[in-house]
Amino acid sequence: IRGYGGTRDPKLGPRWSARGADNIVYTAGGDGAVELPVGKYRVTVTHGIEHSIATEEIAVAEGKGAVLRATLKRELDTPGWTAAECHIHAEPSFDSSVSLPDRVTSLLAEDLGFAAAPDHNTVTDDGPAIAQLGAGGEVGSARGVEVTTEDPKWGHFNVWPYPEGAPIPPCAGQTPRTLFAAIRAAAPDAILQVNHPR
């Protein structure tokens, strides 16, 4: 949502909130309400790279709201394929303030069909948040962990799907060889993803 004609861009909330992050709003189902100051706004509606984009102008008057309806068309069909995100964080991670329901809402808004849920040295599962939003048929997920070394600091490694109840390998004093062996022992069938390889 961008202001124009002398109207400033709205500040709808902190950058980690799906209900309003600066001037962006995410919705799980494509509808919702936003409080805006009086003014003129240019609103762009998107739903991931496979859909068209709609841009509309609205005017919010004193004591009156404005209604925007947009229909996006699927522009690109990808049968047998899905868009995925395998390196995201939510509030279980020390470096994120995004709640799990807000993280899932952002996945739905961007039309991602799958996400791994690796947080730093914390096993995270988006499944309960997906169920809470009633989005089980729209997005799939895998429980994951981002094994993050601290002493010495030499790497971050996503591991997913991570078996329920499996311990997170200790990182201190490990070499890549010993850490990878411990990861394979805890999650022998998981994908071991090397993050930030440079």
Side-chain angles (χ1 to χ4, degrees):
I1 303 171
R2 296 220 177 256
Y4 75 95
T7 301
R8 293 181 179 208
D9 290 356
K11 295 292 183 189
L12 303 171
R15 297 187 68 191
W16 56 84
S17 171
R19 294 173 302 283
D22 284 340
N23 64 328
I24 298 170
V25 177
Y26 288 103
T27 72
D31 58 0
V34 179
E35 286 192 30
L36 295 171
V38 170
K40 295 180 179 180
Y41 299 93
R42 198 166 281 122
V43 181
T44 300
V45 183
T46 68
H47 186 48
I49 64 171
E50 295 182 10
H51 292 82
S52 62
I53 296 172
T55 300
E56 302 286 339
E57 293 180 353
I58 61 169
V60 177
E62 189 70 44
K64 290 185 176 181
V67 175
L68 182 144
R69 288 187 177 88
T71 301
L72 304 183
K73 297 177 184 174
R74 181 170 288 279
E75 300 282 1
L76 176 66
D77 282 322
T78 55
W81 294 84
T82 192
E85 175 59 75
C86 300
H87 190 184
I88 53 175
H89 294 305
E91 65 185 356
S93 190
F94 68 81
D95 61 350
S96 177
S97 298
V98 180
S99 71
L100 289 173
D102 277 8
R103 173 55 67 218
V104 171
T105 297
S106 73
L107 299 172
L108 292 166
E110 296 295 342
D111 196 28
L112 292 172
F114 174 81
D119 285 316
H120 289 288
N121 293 331
T122 302
V123 178
T124 301
D125 184 357
D126 286 336
I130 291 170
Q132 175 186 337
L133 292 170
E138 298 175 61
V139 62
S141 70
R143 179 186 305 106
V145 59
E146 184 172 11
V147 178
T148 305
T149 65
E150 296 176 9
D151 183 25
K153 294 181 181 182
W154 52 262
H156 299 182
F157 308 96
N158 286 355
V159 187
W160 56 273
Y162 206 76
E164 189 168 1
I168 300 169
C171 298
Q174 298 271 18
T175 66
R177 184 182 302 275
T178 60
L179 181 59
F180 289 1
I183 289 170
R184 286 287 176 228
D189 298 322
I191 291 172
L192 197 164
Q193 173 180 317
V194 178
N195 299 333
H196 324 299
R198 294 178 181 84

